[in-house]
């Protein structure tokens, strides 16, 4: 097995464990929930085929759904951002060519582009997740507020983790 595959398996397992045992237990004000597990999808290599990206998103969403006792909510939201991911990368950094040495992260994208990329996908994930969970428009404003604050909290954790991982590699 290649080194990259082992690193991705380790990332998957680590993020799922952190989500289940740490982040699922954080409820700030009853409405702020960080969902950091999507970092796995955000950081997959550029050369990951679209079909594999969608399958990995499904497996990740299913795993989180299973341990969170939700039925398909995380699958739907995670597969949705996996579907949008390649298009968004092409919009944000159109000249970025896939290759074995090109890793998605704050180092390659730069802070501004990585923040934009992460913010859009995290917000879309949280918005779709929370609206599927509540499944009515009568609570539109409270659901929107929950998606915004949870997204901000998740983005901050993701950015901090990127600097932490970058510092360890030096």
């Amino acid at each position: 097995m290649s080194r990259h595959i082992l690193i991705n398996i380790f990332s998957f397992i680590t993020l799922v464990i952190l989500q289940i045992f740490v982040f699922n237990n954080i409820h700030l004000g009853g409405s702020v929930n960080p969902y950091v597990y999507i970092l796995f999808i955000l950081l997959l290599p550029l050369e990951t085929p679209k079909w594999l990206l969608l399958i990995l998103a499904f497996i990740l969403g299913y795993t989180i759904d299973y341990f969170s006792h939700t039925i398909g909510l995380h699958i739907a939201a995670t597969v949705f951002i996996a579907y949008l991911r390649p298009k968004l990368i092409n919009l944000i950094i159109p000249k970025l060519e896939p290759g074995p040495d090109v890793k998605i992260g704050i180092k390659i994208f730069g802070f501004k582009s990585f923040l934009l990329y992460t913010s859009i996908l995290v917000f879309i994930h949280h918005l779709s997740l929370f609206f599927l969970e509540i499944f009515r428009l009568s609570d539109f404003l409270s659901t929107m507020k929950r998606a915004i604050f949870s997204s901000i909290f998740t983005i901050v954790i993701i950015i901090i983790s990127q600097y932490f991982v970058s510092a360890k590699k030096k």
Side-chain angles (χ1 to χ4, degrees):
M1 230 189 264
S2 91
R3 183 176 181 271
H4 298 293
I5 293 172
L6 290 173
I7 289 170
N8 285 329
I9 291 170
F10 178 75
S11 292
F12 181 94
I13 293 168
T14 302
L15 287 168
V16 166
I17 289 171
L18 283 172
Q19 185 64 50
I20 293 165
F21 294 111
V22 178
F23 296 114
N24 277 359
N25 295 313
I26 296 175
H27 302 283
L28 301 175
S31 63
V32 177
N33 309 89
Y35 291 105
V36 179
Y37 73 91
I38 62 173
L39 185 59
F40 177 75
I41 298 299
L42 298 177
L43 297 182
L44 279 172
L46 276 177
E47 71 267 5
T48 305
K50 291 177 186 177
W51 63 268
L52 182 58
L53 187 64
L54 294 174
I55 289 171
L56 291 172
F58 180 87
I59 293 168
L60 179 62
Y62 179 82
T63 306
I64 298 299
D65 275 333
Y66 180 80
F67 288 106
S68 300
H69 308 292
T70 53
I71 303 171
L73 298 177
H74 293 277
I75 291 172
T78 307
V79 169
F80 186 47
I81 64 164
Y83 174 76
L84 295 175
R85 178 184 176 259
K87 294 168 181 47
L88 185 63
I89 290 171
N90 287 337
L91 281 174
I92 294 175
I93 306 177
K95 295 178 184 173
L96 194 60
E97 290 294 324
D101 296 331
V102 179
K103 307 259 184 282
I104 292 182
I106 210 161
K107 262 183 158 178
I108 300 295
F109 277 27
F111 178 79
K112 190 176 175 182
S113 295
F114 185 76
L115 180 64
L116 181 62
Y117 164 74
T118 302
S119 298
I120 291 169
L121 287 180
V122 167
F123 182 68
I124 289 170
H125 174 270
H126 286 37
L127 195 63
S128 57
L129 178 71
F130 295 147
F131 273 109
L132 284 171
E133 181 182 55
I134 199 80
F135 211 70
R136 64 180 171 267
L137 289 176
S138 61
D139 294 327
F140 179 81
L141 290 177
S142 62
T143 305
M144 187 64 81
K145 182 180 107 179
R146 183 176 175 209
I148 290 169
F149 287 123
S150 293
S151 294
I152 291 169
F153 193 48
T154 302
I155 292 163
V156 168
I157 293 169
I158 288 173
I159 296 295
I160 290 170
S161 75
Q162 281 291 291
Y163 281 115
F164 179 71
V165 170
S166 295
K168 283 188 102 174
K169 287 182 182 177
K170 288 182 182 178

